[in-house]
Amino acid sequence: MTLLYPLDAELDPDVRLRLLGTKASGLHEMTALGIPVPPGFTITTEVGESFRETGEWPEGLETAVQGAIRNLERQLGRGYGDPNDPLLVSVRSGAPISMPGMMDTILNVGVNEATIPGLVAKHGNEWFALDAYRRLLQMYGTVVRGIGSDRFQFRLAELKTQRGQPRMADSELPVSAMRELVSDFSSLIEEASGSPFPQDVEVQLWDAVRAVFASWDNQRAIRYRRIQGIAEGIATACTVQAMVFGNTGAESGSGVAFTRNPSSGDKQLYGEYLPTAQGEDVVAGSRTPWPLTSTGAAPGKETMTLEGASPEAFALVSSYCETLERHFGDMQDIEFTVENGKPYVLQTRAAKRTARAAVRVAVHMVHEGVLSKEQALLRVDARSLEQLLQARLPSDADLAARGIEAAATGLPASPGAATGRIVFHADDAVRWAAEGQDVILVRPETSADDIHGMKVAKGVVTAAGGMTSHAAVVARGLGKCCVVGCSSLQVDFRDKTLTLREPSTETRLLREGDLLSLDGSTGKIYAGALDLMASATVEELAELMIWADEARRMRVYAEADTPQAARAALSYGAEGVGLCRTERMFFAPKRLFAMQCALIAMEDRQRRHWLAELERAQREDFIEIFEAMKGRPVTIRLLDRALEELLPEDEPSVRAVAEALDLELPEVAKASDRYRETNPAFGHRGVRAGLTVPGLYDMQLRAMLSAARECTERGVTVELEVLIPMVAFTSEVVALREVLDRVHAEVFTSKPKGFVCRVGTMIELPRSCLIADELARHADFFSFGGNDLTQTVLGVSREDANRFLPLYRNELGLLVGDPFTILDPRVVEMMRIALERGHAARPGLVAGLCGDQGGSPASIEACERLGLDFVSAPLAQLPGARLAAAQARIR
Amino acid sequence: MTLLYPLDAELDPDVRLRLLGTKASGLHEMTALGIPVPPGFTITTEVGESFRETGEWPEGLETAVQGAIRNLERQLGRGYGDPNDPLLVSVRSGAPISMPGMMDTILNVGVNEATIPGLVAKHGNEWFALDAYRRLLQMYGTVVRGIGSDRFQFRLAELKTQRGQPRMADSELPVSAMRELVSDFSSLIEEASGSPFPQDVEVQLWDAVRAVFASWDNQRAIRYRRIQGIAEGIATACTVQAMVFGNTGAESGSGVAFTRNPSSGDKQLYGEYLPTAQGEDVVAGSRTPWPLTSTGAAPGKETMTLEGASPEAFALVSSYCETLERHFGDMQDIEFTVENGKPYVLQTRAAKRTARAAVRVAVHMVHEGVLSKEQALLRVDARSLEQLLQARLPSDADLAARGIEAAATGLPASPGAATGRIVFHADDAVRWAAEGQDVILVRPETSADDIHGMKVAKGVVTAAGGMTSHAAVVARGLGKCCVVGCSSLQVDFRDKTLTLREPSTETRLLREGDLLSLDGSTGKIYAGALDLMASATVEELAELMIWADEARRMRVYAEADTPQAARAALSYGAEGVGLCRTERMFFAPKRLFAMQCALIAMEDRQRRHWLAELERAQREDFIEIFEAMKGRPVTIRLLDRALEELLPEDEPSVRAVAEALDLELPEVAKASDRYRETNPAFGHRGVRAGLTVPGLYDMQLRAMLSAARECTERGVTVELEVLIPMVAFTSEVVALREVLDRVHAEVFTSKPKGFVCRVGTMIELPRSCLIADELARHADFFSFGGNDLTQTVLGVSREDANRFLPLYRNELGLLVGDPFTILDPRVVEMMRIALERGHAARPGLVAGLCGDQGGSPASIEACERLGLDFVSAPLAQLPGARLAAAQARIR
């Protein structure tokens, strides 16, 4: 077992990543690049694994750590525990997989009563020495002894109140108060944990190392790994690194820098800097930091910047950023500390960014010659592209015209817009979302404990924090719209209310469950619901999409149920319509009414009348869709909806149907009952209804074929693919083809030109997977229905899955991921069986995936591995699907 | 291609069956046994197949048939078409698979104006000659020319009316009327079909042969094959046989004989005889025939018998029966015709019989040394044994005590009892049954066109017909209770009413939908619904079951949800309880109430209280079941019911729950809503509810284990198998085992003696089949849940399947058989995948099938082929399951 490596050790990158974790690997690379990094060493993940298993340190670790500390002392000329010139260290976690903020860190290890005078003397700053001490006490207390951090915060707040200055910043506390605080925190530790804070710096060090390794298994980290689908069985590494101090005075501070703008992708240094602060003060968002340069500042306000205050430090940080971005071939996000004017880099990593920024940075970097096209394609998270088509609120002008004003404004932390009901706790967000509510999570600020709530919320609002606060960073990663630092917002947790006190508007009190809208691109918050609109375009996306289309093998079709959607699909680059759900054409009230009359009609004559009405409407739609798609394949699925969902339910509807059909109300009710079912999703729907409800599929097929005839007569080429839903038996396909042949003979008197008609079957039941060989003999193509196949393979009704699947995923840890978004491996296995059998019976059989999963990159990757010919994605996910198909092919 | 064989040709039995069909094979065997069979020849199924494909006769057939006819002429000294002594022939269908009454037959072929005088002279009976002629005209008209037989019947009825005797029997028509009838029928044929009846006997013969071959593809036959699951692709043979005449005078007649009593199985000749009649008159049930002997007569009535009227003929028929039964090693049912005192046998086949008769005959034949035990086991239809445990009506004494009298009495044609709603058409029976109604099909008499209705009816009643009428024979075959020849019953088809005019009671008018009860063992019919009771025992069954238990490999368990059921299961020979559905224990109102309180409770304390209540109740039940099963395995399935089905629904229940929990009514409603689902069968049920509803499975496991503890402390051995329902993920089993381990540690402080506890998982979702290898590592055994596996593999909700599956089976011919009764082959395939994976991971893994299919012989055969270790059958199907398991093993 390898025990530890100093930061300047040379190591194979793969071994380094596995043994030292991502964070320490970054420190190693930076050290090698000559960027100033405080020296230190990393105890390996192997030690972590062994400690996790046995609860004890492996042989020789103590000696090795002592040796490494001695090296540090030699390098810096300070002594660990030396009262004259003490070396302080940070003890940090870091696993091979990035788990930001999930595990623990302790800073300033090595401060005690004995070393305080030396620190004061060295830095000529008593306040600083006491600040380092009180920070150590708090971190040690919370991380090692498990004392709630609120208890330390409470002491601090109490102290400020006693001094009559409850709103004073920490950095403004006088030295006398700092002394009192140190004493307070020391007693708190002893009281709360039954044992005093260890003055022995060796004990401090080993306590800290142990706590950092143990934090791999804290609840927060376990939940995070579960949610992210990170395998157990590995462990964290632990880096011990000399402290540099951002809190030694006005010439010191800590900051975060992005090598480009993480929101827009513009090539400009972007970030925040907090003078007289250690790193965690910036991330925690408890004080509002300076921008690095005036470019990054909120528009229209004059503020302090690092560039203005310390131009030399700023220049150094800028040059480090440039070096790092070029070295890693990706936009970086660094943490740095300026100690008495000299910047040190504490961490570098690939920066989280908005979808817009990701696309623009990737394309720009190809133009800059830094990346190849294939590399650039892999740099963009395909899931995030949906954000680019993401909803936004109506324009300010529109809103103003309607007399709607923002109730408050914060920082635009993550773009997009959302409307939903207010909740104040992450757990509530999960619960409400499980009940189908759109929710907006409102928090004073967020922490790692809130992530499960942020995932399910439509948007996130925090009262405190800056553009690099936890809430902002996580929201951007999740593609959630987010507004932070909304200082006019006051949250009362117990009452579950929030007060909006924007000076320009009246104060509003909102409660849990009230509607709130927000715009993550402007930072504006509105009381009530606003209608969301489609979003603006990113120029670079077109270029990226061209590269993606060149790289991918699978065709990407769109789900489009209306002519409007078909036109939009084409503009999003769809190669055809992969799924036109004809049932959605019945949503318009007039059509729904005709459908209801056709279903309820007692007499053939009546039924035929209303079906003819529907046929006209569908025919018009089909003509428009064929015209829009200009000869590209249009896959139209025959009606597939539980018939009971189409029935007249409210009294006016029932009455209208009764009048139209000349029936009594109870007759309509009785006729409706024929269609009601216990488990409608598994009942009389799809081809089952098509073959047993007289005239239904005839009507639809006639509408398709006569639309095709009209188009071809006008010279518009039509490639029609008729899709049969819910096939369980080969005989269903045979029977349906007979109907189609009959209708075809009725519609076309001669062989049509410019018209291709194929018949495909949905493969969405395990039985149809198993009889795929038989089906392939009667169907021209297969379309896997991911949603129904998931429902039947798992035996889980999608509509009811929220009763337990979220609990399975989050609370109970029984399940990773949502099988209705990412194809379950066993669903993929059924698909593989179907493909093998289908291809054996008909070599070259065309097959693809449709449904929501068709837009999910992970599912698209599974489809590439299965060798499918196409995926059909929801409109908003089309660009993402094209990119994902390319990525899957490249990988 | 072989064209034809004379009836006395020697042939290998298998080839014979395939080429000539069952009926002709019987004639061959009888000829070989020296039993008088009219001579003839059979045109092979190969000719039938070729004709079906090409529509033409194969080369050489005409010549071969002419040669065979010449042989017949030589043998009998008559000439086909010879005006002096004409040979008449019958032309009959007959396939390798028996399809009784489905295909066509034409008798008396060879009669024409020219041969009539010869016939008259030969038989000295003009009436007979004319009768033969009018029969030929009617059969030719209907079968060859497709004229509705009602049109011939109408002419006949008109004639009787013209002569002022509308109720006259056909045999009483004077010669003058017969002449008129012949002339009438001839004109009808010419009018209706546009072409006269062919006087050329060669044309008659070939028309008849062609019609018989074509009748394989009539609607009735196609539907029958579909319903019976008979493969297409084969064809019928056609037998041309010299006519013998049951209608030449009083010394002639036709009859049907069973070698034993088909109802009781007693060794006594049983049957019916109709003087001056051709065979079809007996089967059609249009005149009421004589019994063969007085033993078979309805009790208490003096009637004519064949034995009394023609003792010699009776003795000959008896001896033929004995020969045939011994030769075939099975009870036979023969058709015979007596021509001028001499009996000829026209057909022999294995007799349809009641379950009671089947069991008794099989056992008796072993005792008689005719059959081996294994042969005897194969002689009994395992499905039919359920009839032996079938419901019957309360005893006459009971009914009399309650003042209930029979409204009418008919012949007890097929035992059992039924209560249901009256329908008058087979199609109505299907429709009503599809809506979940129990129906009684009431018909004047039945024909092959009614079989689909008889299959779905609970019972069948006919006004006409004897014990061997179509209705009686088919009902016995189907195991439906049936009363025939109920002459006091008058059916008005148009008005859909029936009038019961029993002399002793008042006349009653019943309408479609009214309730009717019948007792197929007594022939009594009651207006209204009667409660059904369990049935009496058959002594021979015990012996047969011993042989079955010796022969079978699979263990047979019972489904038993209560202590009563467990005791019954043991008495029916169950080797254990294969499925105890704990949810059924909550049906008692008090328990349901406790369950509702536990589900609705807002406070932990309340929930715990009501769960404790349930625990006590379940514990008591489990103790009783363990005691009843005396150490045999008891498989208890954890709660598996859609929770919404347990909620308080009506106002008093909601109020009671609200009071018990101190809640407002809307609070109860709101809490209930948490459990309501769109597709409850695929939602929050089984282990999904068990892992997410606090305390539920804990309670059940504690009840099981503490019951086991109490039993073992009393010295009762307990073999408990805990079954986890609806498993989709391995993590569910792991989590559940953790709960079990915890509860086990709570209940047992030391290792219990005499107690075995195993944990099994239901395999009832495709996903669980696919992860069977993982599951096998965590589960001790598998139990396939046929019902849910069918639901998910087919994507068909069982509760809604009746909307389309019956139409698929009957009207549309898309499906054979009910997959919820007989395992669908693709469900079996999923089971095979699961077994292969499960056994690979854990060799020797025990697996079985439970659910309704566990009682179906066809499913049990599939299980034997899969190598399952056990099946678990519903109580009533236990004997059948034991027999089926033996048969599957023997086969």
Side-chain angles (χ1 to χ4, degrees), chain A residues 674 676 732 803 829 837, chain B residues 674 803 808 829 837:
Chain A
R674 275 182 298 158
R676 293 195 204 284
E732 293 169 324
R803 298 296 166 96
E829 191 175 352
R837 295 182 181 193
Chain B
R674 274 182 299 159
R803 298 293 166 96
Y808 270 30
E829 190 175 353
R837 296 184 181 191

Side-chain angles (χ1 to χ4, degrees), chain A residues 591-659:
Chain A
R591 297 180 178 191
L592 184 60
F593 176 70
M595 186 52 150
Q596 291 169 344
C597 290
L599 287 174
I600 301 297
M602 301 282 180
E603 293 170 23
D604 269 4
R605 187 186 49 76
Q606 289 178 325
R607 188 174 48 238
R608 275 198 302 269
H609 167 80
W610 291 106
L611 284 174
E613 185 96 336
L614 288 169
E615 187 183 321
R616 271 190 295 278
Q618 293 219 300
R619 187 167 165 277
E620 290 313 307
D621 279 357
F622 292 147
I623 288 173
E624 275 195 67
I625 293 175
F626 292 150
E627 285 176 343
M629 296 312 289
K630 303 189 177 83
R632 290 177 185 79
V634 175
T635 314
I636 301 178
R637 189 172 69 186
L638 291 158
L639 182 81
D640 183 23
R641 194 174 184 81
L643 295 178
E644 68 168 30
E645 291 175 33
L646 299 169
L647 298 175
E649 292 295 351
D650 52 358
E651 217 237 294
S653 311
V654 174
R655 195 170 291 281
V657 169
E659 264 172 41

